[in-house]
Amino acid sequence: MSVTPLRPAAASAPPRRITSDTLLQKKLAHRPISAITAYDYPIARLVDEAGIDLVLVGDSLGMVVLGYENTLPVTLEEMLHHTNAVARALRRAFLVADMPYGSYQASLRDAVRNGLRLIKEAGAQAVKIEGGSARAKLVRRLTEAEVPVVGHIGLTPQSVHSMGGYRVQGKSLEAFERLSADAHALEDAGAIAIVLEGIPRELAATITSHCSIPTIGIGAGPECDGQILVFHDLFNLSFSPSAKFSRQYADGAAFFTSALTRYRDDVTAHRFPSDAESYHLPREVQAALEAAHPRARKA
Ligand code: KIV
């Protein structure tokens, strides 16, 4: 297999790495934070070179890359493996890794140990955990252990069974107030940012204006400090109907399918590989071969 660098190494100075402080400064300056998920080296490189601010190795990995039905089976080892690949690709973007289901719910001690592994072994700059006030103590413990935390409230996919499916959250007055309180609890506990997923625009706008840390929305309207989407949804690669909040920017499925069928047709019709795509013996070896074996003519 030939391994060609995606781009020749840039001669210029490396771009300045985005930090949690950069994200905060963007909020304060009302400059939107762009964020997207990535799970492997080539896509992470493209995302980084496109100037996206934040890359999340989301546990959506389980559904869009590993083919699981939901995010619950994703393991810490899988998150470490994919985060490592993404970390090797990033030069500028801020890298957040999801803590998968089961890696932080059982005990504070295990949660801190697992969070530390994502930073130390996989190269994440922060971890993301789902849940509000109930996670405040854990957010504080992780923060004290130098593990920066991004919170995640609203539609939290790891709670699919307790939510009774993937439903927009925060639509009643009580739920509105509960989620606002959750955001403040995470902020007070030391979270560096909060993902707001699947909540009414009005609620996201209220949380965004009342919280001092950046909010990053997905299905939470335009007033959030930043927006995040799942990479595969942008490119029609998730094999599921797109959600109301998602926007498809290109048809990756059609692009890949067209290339793959042309490749298949070329192989089937003996059009691939051509002579120009083949290696040849040096001329003198070919001549010697033909002298020794007259039937070994060059094709
Ligand atoms: O796992 C994920 O991709 C996420 C985003 C949807 C925010 O949590």
Side-chain angles (χ1 to χ4, degrees):
M1 191 190 82
S2 73
V3 181
T4 312
L6 291 175
R7 301 260 194 293
S12 53
R16 185 175 291 208
R17 194 76 198 241
I18 294 203
T19 65
S20 56
D21 188 55
T22 323
L23 302 177
L24 181 60
Q25 295 312 318
K26 285 199 128 193
K27 175 184 175 85
L28 297 175
H30 302 289
R31 285 189 289 128
I33 298 162
S34 54
I36 194 162
T37 64
Y39 316 94
D40 61 27
Y41 180 87
I43 298 300
R45 262 196 83 161
L46 294 174
V47 164
D48 197 55
E49 289 171 13
I52 303 278
D53 297 318
L54 184 152
V55 172
L56 169 70
V57 185
D59 60 356
S60 49
L61 160 77
M63 296 166 84
V64 297
V65 173
L66 302 179
Y68 297 138
E69 191 184 331
N70 54 42
T71 60
L72 304 185
V74 176
T75 64
L76 183 67
E77 297 308 320
E78 286 166 340
M79 291 306 303
L80 289 165
H81 179 77
H82 286 268
T83 304
N84 245 310
V86 170
R88 285 191 284 270
L90 301 188
R91 286 161 27 114
R92 174 183 175 272
F94 188 74
L95 176 55
V96 182
D98 256 338
M99 294 195 67
Y101 180 65
S103 71
Y104 60 96
Q105 288 87 347
S107 77
L108 290 177
R109 195 181 158 82
D110 280 354
V112 172
R113 188 180 299 123
N114 293 334
L116 285 166
R117 288 190 70 191
L118 284 162
I119 305 284
K120 186 180 172 75
E121 294 173 33
Q125 288 164 283
V127 301
K128 178 166 79 59
I129 60 176
E130 295 185 8
S133 310
R135 302 277 177 246
K137 197 165 171 192
L138 172 57
V139 172
R140 191 161 284 118
R141 287 285 286 276
L142 284 164
T143 305
E144 283 164 5
E146 321 301 347
V147 178
V149 181
V150 173
H152 182 164
I153 58 174
L155 193 169
T156 45
Q158 292 178 15
S159 319
V160 57
H161 296 316
S162 39
M163 286 183 311
Y166 299 110
R167 297 171 200 283
V168 174
Q169 303 291 303
K171 285 167 99 173
S172 68
L173 193 56
E174 302 80 65
F176 189 107
E177 278 163 6
R178 198 169 51 247
L179 282 168
S180 300
D182 281 340
H184 287 298
L186 293 172
E187 174 185 18
D188 292 345
I192 59 160
I194 310 177
V195 168
L196 304 177
E197 178 167 357
I199 61 173
R201 172 179 181 172
E202 297 77 10
L203 172 56
T206 305
I207 293 175
T208 300
S209 66
H210 291 161
C211 272
S212 61
I213 55 175
T215 60
I216 300 174
I218 172 163
E223 283 85 11
C224 299
D225 297 308
Q227 298 292 332
I228 185 163
L229 283 177
V230 170
F231 180 89
H232 291 65
D233 293 340
L234 246 81
F235 293 97
N236 188 28
L237 291 172
S238 40
F239 299 95
S240 59
S242 52
K244 173 188 169 85
F245 62 78
S246 197
R247 189 179 292 178
Q248 189 186 305
Y249 282 84
D251 192 348
F255 175 80
F256 284 120
T257 303
S258 150
L260 289 166
T261 49
R262 282 188 291 121
Y263 168 66
R264 181 206 60 198
D265 291 348
D266 282 352
V267 170
T268 312
H270 300 279
R271 285 191 299 265
F272 177 83
S274 66
D275 187 54
E277 288 157 331
S278 306
Y279 296 108
H280 291 289
L281 286 171
R283 200 166 300 169
E284 62 283 7
V285 178
Q286 177 69 23
L289 190 70
E290 284 175 18
H293 307 279
R295 294 175 68 193
R297 296 243 167 268
K298 185 171 180 280

